[in-house]
Amino acid sequence: MSHLITLNNGVEIPALGFGVFQTPPEQTVASVTEALRVGYRLIDTAAAYGNEREVGEGIGASGLDRSAVFIETKLWINDYGYDEALRGFDKSAGKLGVETIDLLLLHQPLTADFTKTIGAYRALEKLLADGQVRAIGVSNFMPEVLARLLTETDVAPAVNQVEVHPYFAQPSVQQANAEYGVLTQAWSPMGGITSYAGDAGHSTFTDPVIGAIATAHGKTPAQVMLRWHLQEGRSAIPKSVKPERIAANFDVFDFALTADELARIDALDTGVRSGPEPDSITMESYGRDIPEA
Ligand code: NDP
């Protein structure tokens, strides 16, 4: 069983979860069911991934009690604004087939229309107060945007989900999160985005430093990267559609990296993100309607 991290509101979240970005709906039920079978208890999806319904079906098919699974999803920017975000919750909960969402995030700051971002966050606060979500948070909030959110709202986010992998570790973002008591949750935790969005010669999976550490422990590069997150106190949500990788990516609780190994992985940070600049997310460039449940 994965270890738990206590969020700033006392709710416990499994440190290691399972992501489903780019998992086609037709593969999502099987992937989620397999992840739950091998021990994951946190599933990270998003309204914009188009597979919330199948995540819900996968959880249902697992035979686990609803309370045994921590469900995390995210509102898309088209559903920002107070009333829109409340409807966005209804859409996500309806597709997931649940009454309560464990952690609901704003997927991106809409910096060009921060009033709508604040409105959406105010809706999250209302959902939290009403018990419809157990925790609330954000994603892709850089420190100055997070600071602004904190001054304009009441409940500090429990989580800030950001791009963190050995090639882009965002230490200043992690530092700001820590100062505000916000858990850093790593997206693309194995640097998958360096493979599928970057050039093939710059993949974390084939990095020689990570490879040497993996060989020393009889583990894979993926397992070493996930262990690095856990030992540095982050939550991580690796994605795979392949059963053997789903299982291997969860098999990270029987070894430990040394302080020197952690430092060698930290030193791989290039400071160059692979994902989009958070400020570049606008309605014009990324807007898309989220269907009703
Ligand atoms: P990951 O670091 O999880 O890498 C996933 C990629 O690596 C996939 O292409 C997968 O392919 C492959 N892979 C998985 N396991 C292994 C392995 N053991 N060895 C070699 N290759 C492997 O990156 P993601 O970008 O997928 O991010 C993970 C999750 O983070 C997402 O699913 C989503 O939940 C979240 N996310 C959030 C974002 C945000 O803006 N908030 C943005 C991006 C991601 P295959 O499936 O074929 O195994």
Side-chain angles (χ1 to χ4, degrees), residues 121-280:
Y121 195 81
R122 286 287 187 196
L124 297 194
E125 292 180 325
K126 162 81 172 148
L127 293 163
L128 182 68
D130 290 350
Q132 291 173 282
V133 300
R134 296 175 63 227
I136 61 176
V138 295
S139 178
N140 301 309
F141 273 52
M142 298 298 98
E144 61 284 4
V145 182
L146 183 61
R148 190 169 164 202
L149 179 84
L150 285 160
T151 61
E152 296 182 33
T153 59
D154 295 321
V155 179
V159 165
N160 188 8
Q161 184 184 115
V162 291
E163 180 180 347
V164 181
H165 48 74
Y167 288 173
F168 189 58
Q170 307 211 70
S172 59
V173 175
Q174 293 194 49
Q175 177 70 29
N177 289 344
E179 279 167 18
Y180 295 127
V182 179
L183 175 66
T184 298
Q185 185 174 56
W187 68 249
S188 226
M190 306 175 294
I193 196 164
T194 66
S195 302
Y196 63 68
D199 65 272
H202 181 73
S203 166
T204 47
F205 291 109
T206 54
D207 183 274
V209 171
I210 298 170
I213 295 171
T215 302
H217 288 276
K219 287 285 183 178
T220 66
Q223 290 168 327
V224 165
M225 289 187 269
L226 294 170
R227 190 71 212 177
W228 168 71
H229 288 292
L230 298 180
Q231 287 185 226
E232 293 193 349
R234 292 180 291 276
S235 172
I237 44 170
K239 171 264 180 187
S240 180
V241 294
K242 299 187 171 60
E244 63 280 9
R245 287 179 176 174
I246 293 172
N249 294 345
F250 198 73
D251 181 18
V252 296
F253 297 100
D254 62 349
F255 76 112
L257 301 172
T258 65
D260 175 63
E261 288 168 337
L262 294 173
R264 282 161 61 201
I265 300 171
D266 289 338
L268 297 174
D269 186 11
T270 64
V272 179
R273 74 171 76 244
S274 292
E277 279 293 336
D279 272 353
S280 74

Side-chain angles (χ1 to χ4, degrees), residues 50-74:
N51 56 17
E52 287 175 307
R53 196 178 310 280
E54 291 75 14
V55 166
E57 286 174 20
I59 293 168
S62 73
L64 291 166
D65 278 353
R66 164 69 190 91
S67 61
V69 184
F70 192 103
I71 303 178
E72 174 174 356
T73 192
K74 318 181 192 80

